[in-house]
Amino acid sequence: MFTAEELLPIKLTLELALITTVFLLLVATPLAWWLSHTKSKWRAPISSIVTLPLVLPPSVLGFYLLVAMGPSGPLGKLTEALGIGLLTFTFPGLVIGSIVYSMPFAVQPLQAAFESIGKRPLEVAATLGAKPLDAFFNVVLPLAKPGFVTAALLTFAHTIGEFGVVLMIGGNVPGKTQVVSTEIYCYVEAMEYGKAHWLAGGMVVFSFFVLLGLTLLNRHNERVMP
């Protein structure tokens, strides 16, 4: 039913979701740790900025990212000065947009996991002579494993389902920025509902199993918790 060229958006979508998830886990971990422990006056504003993509329409977020990465935007001027060129309508531009758009789906589960651990495990580790960094990697990270799994699954699934942001930043260039969500849109515009059904149905099944997996994971964690 699908040609090799028509299947390319699936590969591109998976690559985008994987890169976004890995990068966000690296960035969100220290940010979530800071948000869960700091008493700084900047905690509320920064937390609000991180959460903003949850309430902003994707088209609004995509528009301002497009402006920022455009020839007159600060990011666009920087990339042109570095000889990279503009990131609009490119795969790297999609990655940046996906990172911003999926940020709360990585930060919030990790922040909740860190807050649930409390200070007691770190205090015990300190009495045993563990340095803060050692305690973080050997005590905190294992205890926060469910939060990392949740953050990874939500970020991956949310990135795969993006539409407004990727369409605004990347357009719909076949082989370069066309992902599954925009490909479905093209099929609907072309009245090719059969192909749209296959892709849309696949997205529904994928999303269902992600949510089912998270539900089973949460139940398992509730059983093993003392």
Side-chain angles (χ1 to χ4, degrees), residues 54-180:
L54 289 177
V55 296
L56 274 181
S59 57
V60 172
L61 184 61
F63 170 71
Y64 282 111
L65 287 172
L66 181 66
V67 171
M69 289 190 284
S72 300
L75 186 56
K77 290 179 179 179
L78 176 62
T79 54
E80 284 197 308
L82 294 174
I84 300 174
L86 296 177
L87 297 178
T88 49
F89 309 111
T90 67
F91 184 77
L94 286 187
V95 172
I96 293 175
S98 298
I99 288 170
V100 174
Y101 189 46
S102 295
M103 178 73 74
F105 291 87
V107 173
Q108 290 189 346
L110 292 178
Q111 183 179 345
F114 291 150
E115 288 174 349
S116 67
I117 293 173
K119 297 181 179 180
R120 182 60 180 169
L122 292 175
E123 291 172 351
V124 172
T127 60
L128 296 175
K131 296 181 179 179
L133 198 59
D134 293 331
F136 180 81
F137 282 102
N138 295 306
V139 177
V140 174
L141 291 189
L143 291 175
K145 182 180 177 181
F148 279 93
V149 174
T150 300
L153 287 175
L154 286 178
T155 302
F156 192 88
H158 186 252
T159 303
I160 283 181
E162 289 178 36
F163 175 72
V165 171
V166 296
L167 184 63
M168 188 74 74
I169 297 173
N172 193 26
V173 184
K176 292 184 178 180
T177 62
Q178 187 179 61
V179 294
V180 171

